[in-house]
Amino acid sequence: MSDAGIWHGGDLDVARRLFPDAPDPWIDLSTGINPIAYPVPPLPARLFERLPAPADHRDLEAAAAEAYGAPDAAMVVAAPGTQVLIGLLPALRARSRVAILGPTYAEHARAWRGAGHDVMEVASPDRAGEADVLVVVNPNNPDGRLLSRALLLDQAERLRARGGWLVVDEAFADFAAGETLVPVLPDNAVVLRSFGKTYGLAGVRLGFAVAAGDAAGTLRRVLGPWSVSGPAMEVGRRALRDRPWRLVAREARGRDARRLDALLEPRSEQPLAGTVLYRLMSGGRAPDLFAHLGRHGIWVRRFPFDPRLLRFGLPGCDEAWRRLEAAFASFV
C-alpha cells in the first residue's frame, strides 16, 4: 500500500506486518508479472561502465517498434518504466478535464490530479462528456475489460474536435486477445507499453510510449539523454526481438491461467475476470480468504474500492502451486 492510500502488489513488507507468523518463503501472487522471466544473458562490463550511445537507444526503440507494430520507430519513446511516463504526461497539458475509465490502475488518476487537472472516473467512454483527455487501460487492470480498436479510434476522433488526447495504457496487451492501437495510432493518442510485466523483469525498469505527431518528440526532450540504462537497453533489445520466446510464454501462461481458474471458480460468486497474467475473483468471503492465504504465506491483491475482490497472479513453480492448492483445500 502506498503512502497516498493506493494499494499496489509486490510489497511483502506489508504482508509480513499483517501476518508475522506466516511461513517463509512467501509466495507473492499480488502482481501481474510473468513469474517465468526472460532468461537474461551475461552482460558485458562495458554496459555498466559507459553511458549508452545514442545508436543503442535508437536500436532499442526500433526493437520495440517491431514488437509492438509501430509503423515508424520515431514514434516509440523508451523510458525507465511506464510509471515515469504516467507521471510525465499530465505535465504536458494545460489544466484539462480528464476522464479515466475505471475502476482501474489508480496511479493514472493520482498523476493527473497531482498535476492540477480536473479528474473524474467514468464507467464507460460515452460518460466522458466534454473531457479533454480520456485515459483507458486496455486490457483493464484489474478486470481485464477490453475495448475494441474501432471504439478507441472513434473516441480519439471525438477528442480531436476539441484538441483532446486519448491515452491508452496497454501494459498487459502482449498476451491479450484484443487489437493494439499502435499500428493505426491517431496523432492525438498516446499508447503506453510495459516491458517488465510480459518478460518478468520488472526490476529492469523499462517501458515505452508510442505517439504520433509532436508528443513523441516532446517526451524525448522531457526525459533527456540517457534516460534508460545500458544494461536495460541490452536486455530490452534482446527480449523484444525474441518473438519465439514471447509466443511460447503466451501459450504457457495461458495454460497456467486456466489451471488457476479451475482453483478459483468454485470460490467465486461472479464469473472470473482478468488477463493471462492475473485472474480476478469476487465473493463475500474474499476478506476471509485473503487472511487465510496470508496466514499460509501467500500474498494476493485486494482492493480498497471493493473488499469482495481478490486478484491472483500466476504461481511460478511447482512448490508454489502445491502450497496454493493446499491452502485452498483447507479453507472452510
PDB file of all heavy atoms in Angstrom, residues 36 41 142 146 179 209:
ATOM      1  N   ILE A  36       7.677 -16.458 -14.869  1.00  0.00           N
ATOM      2  CA  ILE A  36       8.786 -17.161 -15.521  1.00  0.00           C
ATOM      3  C   ILE A  36       9.504 -16.131 -16.395  1.00  0.00           C
ATOM      4  O   ILE A  36       9.085 -15.830 -17.513  1.00  0.00           O
ATOM      5  CB  ILE A  36       8.300 -18.344 -16.381  1.00  0.00           C
ATOM      6  CG1 ILE A  36       7.314 -19.208 -15.592  1.00  0.00           C
ATOM      7  CG2 ILE A  36       9.482 -19.148 -16.880  1.00  0.00           C
ATOM      8  CD1 ILE A  36       7.900 -19.874 -14.367  1.00  0.00           C
ATOM      9  N   PRO A  41      20.861 -12.913 -20.384  1.00  0.00           N
ATOM     10  CA  PRO A  41      22.191 -13.447 -20.661  1.00  0.00           C
ATOM     11  C   PRO A  41      23.255 -12.696 -19.864  1.00  0.00           C
ATOM     12  O   PRO A  41      22.987 -11.608 -19.334  1.00  0.00           O
ATOM     13  CB  PRO A  41      22.365 -13.171 -22.158  1.00  0.00           C
ATOM     14  CG  PRO A  41      21.543 -11.944 -22.395  1.00  0.00           C
ATOM     15  CD  PRO A  41      20.355 -12.047 -21.472  1.00  0.00           C
ATOM     16  N   PRO A 142      -8.177  -4.052 -12.779  1.00  0.00           N
ATOM     17  CA  PRO A 142      -7.947  -5.480 -12.581  1.00  0.00           C
ATOM     18  C   PRO A 142      -8.880  -6.436 -13.326  1.00  0.00           C
ATOM     19  O   PRO A 142      -8.690  -7.652 -13.224  1.00  0.00           O
ATOM     20  CB  PRO A 142      -8.223  -5.625 -11.086  1.00  0.00           C
ATOM     21  CG  PRO A 142      -9.346  -4.662 -10.830  1.00  0.00           C
ATOM     22  CD  PRO A 142      -9.078  -3.490 -11.748  1.00  0.00           C
ATOM     23  N   LEU A 146     -11.771  -5.319 -22.210  1.00  0.00           N
ATOM     24  CA  LEU A 146     -11.115  -4.964 -23.465  1.00  0.00           C
ATOM     25  C   LEU A 146     -12.041  -4.101 -24.308  1.00  0.00           C
ATOM     26  O   LEU A 146     -13.186  -4.472 -24.565  1.00  0.00           O
ATOM     27  CB  LEU A 146     -10.757  -6.230 -24.259  1.00  0.00           C
ATOM     28  CG  LEU A 146      -9.357  -6.814 -24.088  1.00  0.00           C
ATOM     29  CD1 LEU A 146      -9.276  -8.164 -24.779  1.00  0.00           C
ATOM     30  CD2 LEU A 146      -8.296  -5.872 -24.631  1.00  0.00           C
ATOM     31  N   GLU A 179      -6.979  -6.152 -30.091  1.00  0.00           N
ATOM     32  CA  GLU A 179      -6.095  -5.488 -31.042  1.00  0.00           C
ATOM     33  C   GLU A 179      -5.443  -4.272 -30.396  1.00  0.00           C
ATOM     34  O   GLU A 179      -6.111  -3.432 -29.795  1.00  0.00           O
ATOM     35  CB  GLU A 179      -6.889  -5.019 -32.265  1.00  0.00           C
ATOM     36  CG  GLU A 179      -7.455  -6.142 -33.114  1.00  0.00           C
ATOM     37  CD  GLU A 179      -8.231  -5.585 -34.293  1.00  0.00           C
ATOM     38  OE1 GLU A 179      -9.169  -4.803 -34.073  1.00  0.00           O
ATOM     39  OE2 GLU A 179      -7.896  -5.954 -35.431  1.00  0.00           O
ATOM     40  N   ALA A 209       6.474   4.726 -24.548  1.00  0.00           N
ATOM     41  CA  ALA A 209       5.319   5.462 -25.059  1.00  0.00           C
ATOM     42  C   ALA A 209       5.377   5.392 -26.572  1.00  0.00           C
ATOM     43  O   ALA A 209       6.462   5.488 -27.163  1.00  0.00           O
ATOM     44  CB  ALA A 209       5.350   6.911 -24.600  1.00  0.00           C
TER      45      ALA A 209
END
